[in-house]
Amino acid sequence: MTWDYAEFVGEWEVTVAESDGVIVGLVAVGETEEGFAVENVAVDPDHQGRGLGRTLLELAEAEARRAGHDSIYLFTHEKMTENQALYARIGYVEYDRRSEHGLSRVFMRKQL
C-alpha cells in the first residue's frame, strides 16, 4: 500500500487490538460529509473467525453513537462479496456503488 500512514492516523481515530504485544487488528473511524464512517477495519488472517472483526465494528458503532450519529457507514470493494455478506448479517444495508481512486466500491450503512 502506498498510504502515508502518519497522515492517515492523524485524520482518523485508530484503535488497535493486540495479542501478546502484537497488533492483530484495527479499526479506523471518523466523521465525513456523509456521516460517521468506518474507514478501515482489518484483522490478521491468523486471528480471523474469532469475533475480533465484529468486536471492532461494535466499538466503531459505539463511537458513532457517542458522537451523536444515528447511523454508521463503510465501504468495501465490489469483488469482496464475503465482506458484503458479513456486513449484511450484522445489519449493514447497501446504499450506493461508486468508482473511487480507480476502485469499484460498495457502500453500506447501518442504522444504530
Side-chain angles (χ1 to χ4, degrees):
M1 301 203 42
T2 59
W3 287 358
D4 178 340
Y5 284 99
E7 182 180 332
F8 179 81
V9 171
E11 292 178 11
W12 298 93
E13 181 178 330
V14 179
T15 302
V16 298
E18 294 182 42
S19 177
D20 296 323
V22 176
I23 295 174
V24 296
L26 68 84
V27 65
V29 299
E31 294 183 77
T32 72
E33 311 80 47
E34 288 188 58
F36 201 87
V38 175
E39 172 60 22
N40 197 346
V41 61
V43 175
D44 182 288
D46 291 339
H47 290 82
Q48 291 177 354
R50 302 178 193 173
L52 180 55
R54 182 180 295 243
T55 299
L56 290 168
L57 287 171
E58 288 170 354
L59 175 66
E61 292 165 12
E63 289 298 319
R65 283 188 204 92
R66 221 179 336 273
H69 294 271
D70 62 1
S71 69
I72 188 168
Y73 79 96
L74 51 73
F75 59 84
T76 189
H77 193 279
E78 71 178 2
K79 292 184 179 179
M80 301 295 286
T81 56
E82 67 279 3
N83 289 358
Q84 295 167 47
L86 167 70
Y87 299 143
R89 277 195 307 275
I90 60 173
Y92 286 80
V93 177
E94 181 179 334
Y95 71 93
D96 199 7
R97 288 182 181 245
R98 300 179 207 155
S99 179
E100 294 181 333
H101 310 289
L103 302 171
S104 298
R105 294 178 168 167
V106 176
F107 285 76
M108 301 178 81
R109 182 175 301 278
K110 180 177 182 178
Q111 295 301 310
L112 301 175

